[in-house]
Amino acid sequence: MTSYTPSNIEAHWQAVWEKEEIFRATRSAEKPKYYVLEMFPYPSGRIHMGHVRNYTMGDVIARFKMSTGHSVLHPMGWDAFGMPAENAAMAIGGHPKTWTYDNIADMRSQMKPLGLSIDWSREFATCDPEYYGQQQALFLDMLDAGLVYRKNAQVNWDPVDMTVLANEQVIDGKGWRSGADVEKRELTQWFFKISDMAGELKQALDGLENWPAKVRLMQDNWIGESRGLEMDFALTTPKHNFEALTIYTTRPDTLAGAGFMAIAPDHPLSKALETENAPLAAFNADARRMDTTEAAMEKAEKKGFDTGITVKHPLYPDQTLPIWVANFVLMDYGTGAIFGCPAHDQRDLDFARKYNLPVIDTFLAMDDDTPVAKIAFVPAKTEMVRWINHPTGIEIATGQDAINQTIDWAEAKGLGHGQTQYRLRDWGLSRQRYWGCPIPVVHCKTCGVVPEKKENLPIKLPDDVSFDIPGNPLDRHPTWRNTPCPSCGKASKRETDTMDTFVDSSWYFARFTAPGAKTPTNMEDAAYWMNVDQYIGGIEHAILHLLYSRFFARAMHITGHLPKSAVEPFDALFTQGMVTHEIYQTRDAKGRPVYHLPEDVSEGKLKNGTKVDVIPSAKMSKSKKNVVDPLGIIASYGADTARWFVLSDSPPERDVEWTASGAEAAYKHLSRVYRLATDVKTVSSADENAGADLDLARARALCIDGVTRDIESFGFNAAIAKLYAFTAAIAKSKAGKAIKRESVKTLAQLMSPMTPHISEEIWSILGGEGLITLAPWPTAEASLLKADTVILPIQINGKRRGELQVSADLNKEEVEKLALAHDAVIKVLQGGTPKKVIVVPGRIVNVVI
RNA sequence: GCGGGCGUGAUGGAAUGGUAGACAUACCAGACUUAAAAUCUGGAGGCCGUAUGGCCGUGUGGGUUCGAGUCCCACCGCCCGCACCA
């Protein structure tokens, strides 16, 4: 008997699959299509267990769909632009391009041993000129359609690295690499007009039924929505060409309680005043600096600066309200100007008390006349309150009703107009970076900003660049910038900004439908393969990547690159949990923690006998050394074991803890199944003639039924539990070998989405026809799913007191009779009659006394 | 602060409102072995009891129901997201 040797088996079957090209996706007239996609990886150079789990889940779905008669598209690519490549170039020399393509080659060679059912012929990297050239074409079409524009925007500027930093790269007000104090700078940047679609992107969330409710909610909150009033307050005396201050408020009903006006430090009026008012300039500079420090922001003191300018009160023309610059008013929400209503907003109240501004109650509780003192009165908008001198004449109403009526009233009086405001801001895509997709426009002294001609695409990144000094190499490249203006032909300069890498990942799923097309997509292929039927990835992309992709799909429809049906590109989304591991720690002489790799620890001790502290599981990370290398696992146990384990122990949406004993158990199970298969490989003629075995047939039917339903509902861990049970049932069965052999073949089929190599091997040993991967999924015989007899628990007043074995189709009356004749029931009834008997056929009997 | 999710044996977890703890790990016992490993068989929520069995048990407290881990309310704890949004 040969034993289970995954290394031989896995290499063999991977070669067969590759030779037969069985994973090549082809459009089929007969079969329904199925597009399964896992979020493509960043080519860091090394796969980790998280990748293994993510791709295994997708692979289970892809292989299952293949077996159930679908034409499957399961592609893979690389999210290959981005900072790490440039950082590597700066740190260790070399070129980002070389670093990236070397990493891709490494990672591809690490992924192939997993035996994933990927159509590698469609592979691409976002840094391939063929890909980013089409992205540039898409950009030009979007520019043409008015979906892209330029504006001045404040950015985080690192003066040492001479680059713009994302908010996440600013830590305690300092650049994450350089440690330099980050400055706010105003730069002209490119933006996608995603805010134009805010309402649509929000509403369409309702239709995404097969997305996790959590992700929909996160997007909903991110987009935000509030209805309010935009209105002008006339300046008492016009100043710097400002005649009025336009404010936005969601509480127009409290207009009568206005105590002051507040504008953002970056409000145009504030900026105009700043030029002739040094203390204000200092205040603003201070406020802008504070803006970047997250920690300070949370508890930042509300501070203001009185400009000395006033507006006329729209309700009481003889009264004026002072305009303050306030550090808590944000320029990029609403109009950057508000009126403060201290009585009904805690923040405004704190501000008013600090600067001795009036506090005017506009409504009181139904049963309390106490005016506001230290705590602002902010009841729920659905609560009835009594209004004081309300401009619309309202006396008793809820806040919500008052808001709506005030908006109507203000519109009728021409004071302002109702306005729906979204929190979502336009997507700034400019990056002062080399390793990204060049923005295909030219700056011409005569013609201004001119789009590049499509026939000149791709605008390729130059290879001859250096990273030894900070800043964007494109900016200082001697020749690359020089180009004739596409419009007038005069010598001009290229845009040197590149695109945010989120752009690259916002349409790759569409490109996979026709990766070689000479346009961004091929409409026929897109129409056939889109949408992605099942998208799988991490929850960390719940907002940005998924929101941007939804925006891009719409933009691609508008520009003629996707059909209308594909504006929501992902029909179903699944967010998988992480792979975690215990952390092993000791301390050095100075008491600092020292971490140890799992392979160096056994039974809580290092090899030299030192005891380690075990810290509860956390996401695998290099810094904590709680990592298990997939390559090591594959080398010692095989890919099937790794695949089986990452699916087995926890529900896919939750974190799974990697344990050595769990991996061992997975390997043992596969070895056992392999042994079972070799045991029933050869059968005698007596075996062939042995009769059917009903118990085993039942176990088989139940397993088929259960595993099928579990895979369809992402219950991989539950499917695996059923496969363990079926394996035990076969092992213990006294049925003839021929019968058992058929059961083992079914077992191999049901396991094949999870452990394709060993399943293929067993199929071949046991004389299965063709490849198991292409074999049709087994079906459960309905008649076998129902047992002849069932054991019904008997409850008395809801507590289990006995059981009854009855034939499964026995009617209620008979069951009731038998139940009442049961010893336990007779004992408690003592000759009396029960109040009620509940019989749930096939389930339970409950006798109420 | 706002929003959401989750609390089940030693551990990961299972359970269309119907026998709580499937399956797996760790553990214990037995078989095989000179021994160990591997393999196989069996045990196991807690308490009481030799046992048939009984009582308790899904974070805490209430409620709905013939029946609640599951539905509702309040609280406690943990996790996640957002947060000066006018």
Side-chain angles (χ1 to χ4, degrees):
Chain A
M1 188 181 83
T2 51
S3 60
Y4 173 49
T5 47
S7 49
N8 297 342
I9 292 174
E10 294 181 356
H12 172 70
W13 291 107
Q14 283 164 20
V16 172
W17 297 330
E18 194 169 337
K19 183 162 161 278
E20 309 262 328
E21 297 193 337
I22 59 173
F23 304 131
R24 187 177 281 263
T26 44
R27 278 161 54 185
S28 158
E30 304 91 55
K31 294 179 178 177
K33 70 93 189 180
Y34 197 89
Y35 183 2
V36 56
L37 182 68
E38 302 102 44
M39 290 180 185
F40 68 163
Y42 179 79
S44 61
R46 241 177 142 69
I47 62 165
H48 52 71
M49 276 301 169
H51 291 126
V52 174
R53 194 173 191 216
N54 187 207
Y55 305 138
T56 301
M57 286 179 192
D59 204 43
V60 170
I61 299 293
R63 287 174 177 274
F64 174 70
K65 290 294 174 183
M66 270 180 88
S67 297
T68 51
H70 294 78
S71 171
V72 172
L73 172 58
H74 185 205
M76 181 59 67
W78 309 95
D79 189 11
F81 273 136
M83 301 251 300
E86 280 188 57
N87 295 337
M90 280 182 250
I92 58 173
H95 196 283
K97 186 170 161 182
T98 322
W99 185 85
T100 304
Y101 280 104
D102 285 354
N103 279 353
I104 288 173
D106 286 349
M107 272 180 91
R108 190 193 302 112
S109 72
Q110 291 164 24
M111 275 169 73
K112 290 232 168 162
L114 286 170
L116 303 168
S117 63
I118 286 166
D119 178 358
W120 286 101
S121 73
R122 290 177 186 251
E123 175 191 1
F124 60 77
T126 55
C127 63
D128 296 342
E130 295 74 27
Y131 182 80
Y132 72 71
Q134 294 306 328
Q135 185 162 304
Q136 290 168 339
L138 202 51
F139 179 92
L140 293 177
D141 288 345
M142 287 170 73
L143 187 60
D144 202 39
L147 292 164
V148 191
Y149 68 100
R150 261 158 60 96
K151 72 169 178 187
N152 286 333
Q154 282 223 346
V155 293
N156 302 309
W157 179 258
D158 184 323
V160 171
D161 275 355
M162 301 221 296
T163 186
V164 168
L165 299 176
N167 284 330
E168 310 81 67
Q169 293 164 342
V170 181
I171 299 153
D172 291 336
K174 300 187 189 304
W176 68 293
R177 268 183 64 84
S178 67
D181 281 336
V182 169
E183 298 168 7
K184 287 271 165 185
R185 269 212 189 174
E186 202 155 88
L187 290 182
T188 307
Q189 304 260 290
W190 289 93
F191 285 85
F192 286 122
K193 261 194 171 170
I194 190 171
S195 66
D196 268 11
M197 293 190 193
E200 147 75 9
L201 287 168
K202 188 179 167 85
Q203 271 165 22
L205 286 171
D206 290 341
L208 300 176
E209 286 158 21
N210 294 317
W211 281 39
K214 182 183 183 173
V215 173
R216 280 161 35 196
L217 187 76
M218 280 163 74
Q219 291 215 358
D220 198 69
N221 290 339
W222 186 262
I223 295 168
E225 187 182 69
S226 61
R227 173 142 175 91
L229 180 73
E230 196 172 290
M231 69 179 290
D232 284 352
F233 282 63
L235 263 59
T236 316
T237 323
K239 178 102 182 165
H240 290 296
N241 296 326
F242 289 90
E243 306 214 341
L245 191 61
T246 306
I247 63 95
Y248 175 73
T249 178
T250 56
R251 291 308 299 261
D253 53 319
T254 63
L255 184 55
F260 61 94
M261 310 302 290
I263 62 176
D266 285 316
H267 190 278
L269 177 58
S270 164
K271 283 188 171 177
L273 294 170
E274 173 179 302
T275 58
E276 54 174 37
N277 186 335
L280 175 59
F283 176 87
N284 284 349
D286 197 42
R288 281 174 200 131
R289 204 169 318 119
M290 184 202 72
D291 219 0
T292 57
T293 63
E294 265 179 60
M297 244 170 72
E298 290 200 16
K299 285 178 186 162
E301 195 188 346
K302 312 284 177 272
K303 282 196 267 190
F305 188 97
D306 188 355
T307 62
I309 300 178
T310 57
V311 295
K312 292 178 194 157
H313 199 303
L315 298 179
Y316 316 111
D318 51 331
Q319 291 182 22
T320 63
L321 294 164
I323 300 179
W324 286 65
V325 177
N327 64 354
F328 61 85
V329 179
L330 306 176
M331 189 54 223
D332 41 17
Y333 189 80
T335 60
I338 61 165
F339 73 77
C341 179
H344 306 294
D345 182 304
Q346 191 59 46
R347 194 185 46 198
D348 292 347
L349 182 64
D350 294 344
F351 193 83
R353 293 296 184 218
K354 180 167 181 174
Y355 295 111
N356 285 318
L357 296 161
V359 177
I360 305 153
D361 296 88
T362 60
F363 54 80
L364 295 168
M366 296 302 287
D367 54 2
D368 189 354
D369 286 340
T370 322
V372 164
K374 278 188 182 152
I375 309 286
F377 180 42
V378 191
K381 282 181 192 169
T382 48
E383 197 175 304
M384 282 288 180
V385 290
R386 291 174 295 153
W387 298 85
I388 306 164
N389 297 327
H390 200 270
T392 63
I394 291 172
E395 289 179 344
I396 292 175
T398 63
Q400 193 55 61
D401 287 344
I403 290 167
N404 292 336
Q405 288 183 47
T406 313
I407 292 173
D408 293 346
W409 169 85
E411 283 181 343
K413 288 214 129 200
L415 284 171
H417 60 275
Q419 170 99 7
T420 300
Q421 186 76 42
Y422 295 95
R423 188 182 161 279
L424 182 69
R425 294 168 204 167
D426 278 336
W427 170 13
L429 68 119
S430 300
R431 297 289 181 273
Q432 289 68 39
R433 284 275 152 200
Y434 165 76
W435 194 232
C437 172
I439 294 173
V441 298
V442 173
H443 298 274
C444 171
K445 284 207 173 105
T446 7
C447 312
V449 179
V450 187
E452 187 53 90
K453 288 181 183 158
K454 275 203 181 164
E455 59 261 35
N456 292 339
L457 302 182
I459 305 302
K460 287 192 193 174
L461 290 167
D463 286 338
D464 52 337
V465 287
S466 67
F467 295 89
D468 40 13
I469 49 171
N472 182 353
L474 294 179
D475 238 1
R476 56 172 189 259
H477 193 280
T479 54
W480 185 79
R481 297 190 67 173
N482 303 326
T483 187
C485 167
S487 172
C488 70
K490 279 190 220 151
S492 300
K493 297 280 185 196
R494 284 197 187 290
E495 170 73 64
T496 58
D497 282 355
T498 52
M499 298 186 202
D500 179 7
T501 56
F502 270 115
V503 180
D504 312 337
S505 54
S506 292
W507 70 286
Y508 77 109
F509 49 87
R511 184 70 184 167
F512 273 138
T513 64
K518 299 295 175 211
T519 46
T521 61
N522 170 312
M523 273 299 244
E524 269 183 45
D525 284 313
Y528 178 80
W529 288 113
M530 288 298 285
N531 296 340
V532 176
D533 293 276
Q534 183 65 60
Y535 197 31
I536 305 170
I539 187 77
E540 66 272 22
H541 293 114
I543 296 175
L544 295 184
H545 163 60
L546 290 166
L547 189 63
Y548 291 160
S549 296
R550 296 177 62 220
F551 163 71
F552 249 71
R554 283 166 173 76
M556 288 176 80
H557 169 61
I558 292 168
T559 52
H561 297 297
L562 277 181
K564 177 94 175 79
S565 56
V567 296
E568 281 300 340
F570 311 122
D571 278 354
L573 172 71
F574 190 87
T575 53
Q576 97 278 5
M578 299 180 299
V579 182
T580 64
H581 198 286
E582 287 179 330
I583 298 167
Y584 305 117
Q585 187 194 61
T586 56
R587 294 198 179 267
D588 67 9
K590 290 184 176 164
R592 287 172 304 209
V594 178
Y595 298 103
H596 303 279
L597 291 167
E599 64 227 47
D600 297 334
V601 176
S602 67
E603 292 176 6
K605 284 179 187 157
L606 294 177
K607 289 194 179 84
N608 64 14
T610 314
K611 213 168 157 278
V612 297
D613 289 332
V614 178
I615 300 172
S617 261
K619 181 180 181 171
M620 286 188 176
S621 80
K622 279 182 196 157
S623 62
K624 297 274 159 56
K625 288 200 176 177
N626 61 336
V627 288
V628 174
D629 183 6
L631 297 181
I633 297 297
I634 291 172
S636 35
Y637 297 110
D640 282 340
T641 291
R643 295 170 56 120
W644 183 264
F645 180 74
V646 291
L647 297 174
S648 66
D649 253 22
S650 291
E653 67 276 15
R654 257 192 252 179
D655 292 351
V656 64
E657 181 176 353
W658 184 278
T659 59
S661 56
E664 186 74 26
Y667 182 75
K668 281 183 191 172
H669 171 72
L670 297 184
S671 302
R672 191 179 190 212
V673 173
Y674 188 82
R675 243 186 348 260
L676 263 181
T678 51
D679 282 353
V680 296
K681 183 178 167 186
T682 46
V683 299
S684 65
S685 56
D687 287 328
E688 291 288 6
N689 296 328
D693 185 288
L694 193 57
D695 285 342
L696 196 54
R698 282 232 168 88
R700 176 180 175 273
L702 280 172
C703 190
I704 293 172
D705 182 60
V707 168
T708 306
R709 279 188 286 118
D710 286 339
I711 289 179
E712 280 169 345
S713 62
F714 269 82
F716 303 133
N717 58 325
I720 281 179
K722 292 182 177 81
L723 289 165
Y724 272 117
F726 185 38
T727 305
I730 299 172
K732 280 180 197 160
S733 171
K734 298 279 189 284
K737 274 193 180 180
I739 305 278
K740 281 175 118 174
R741 186 177 59 191
E742 290 315 301
S743 285
V744 174
K745 281 170 78 177
T746 303
L747 175 65
Q749 276 198 286
L750 296 177
M751 282 170 62
S752 69
M754 294 98 166
T755 56
H757 312 89
I758 190 177
S759 297
E760 203 70 83
E761 180 74 12
I762 289 171
W763 188 253
S764 133
I765 290 174
L766 300 184
E769 200 179 317
L771 291 170
I772 201 170
T773 308
L774 300 175
W777 194 249
T779 48
E781 214 177 300
S783 63
L784 289 172
L785 291 174
K786 276 193 180 168
D788 297 338
T789 61
V790 288
I791 292 172
L792 287 186
I794 297 180
Q795 293 183 334
I796 292 166
N797 288 346
K799 282 195 191 286
R800 190 174 179 279
R801 281 293 182 271
E803 58 187 34
L804 210 55
Q805 184 165 15
V806 296
S807 91
D809 50 4
L810 195 67
N811 66 41
K812 275 192 178 189
E813 290 71 24
E814 291 296 321
V815 172
E816 185 171 333
K817 241 185 242 172
L818 286 172
L820 292 177
H822 191 276
D823 290 348
V825 177
I826 289 170
K827 201 171 132 197
V828 289
L829 278 179
Q830 296 185 335
T833 45
K835 272 192 202 151
K836 200 171 177 183
V837 180
I838 290 131
V839 179
V840 183
R843 281 288 187 184
I844 206 161
V845 182
N846 190 11
V847 181
V848 187
I849 56 165

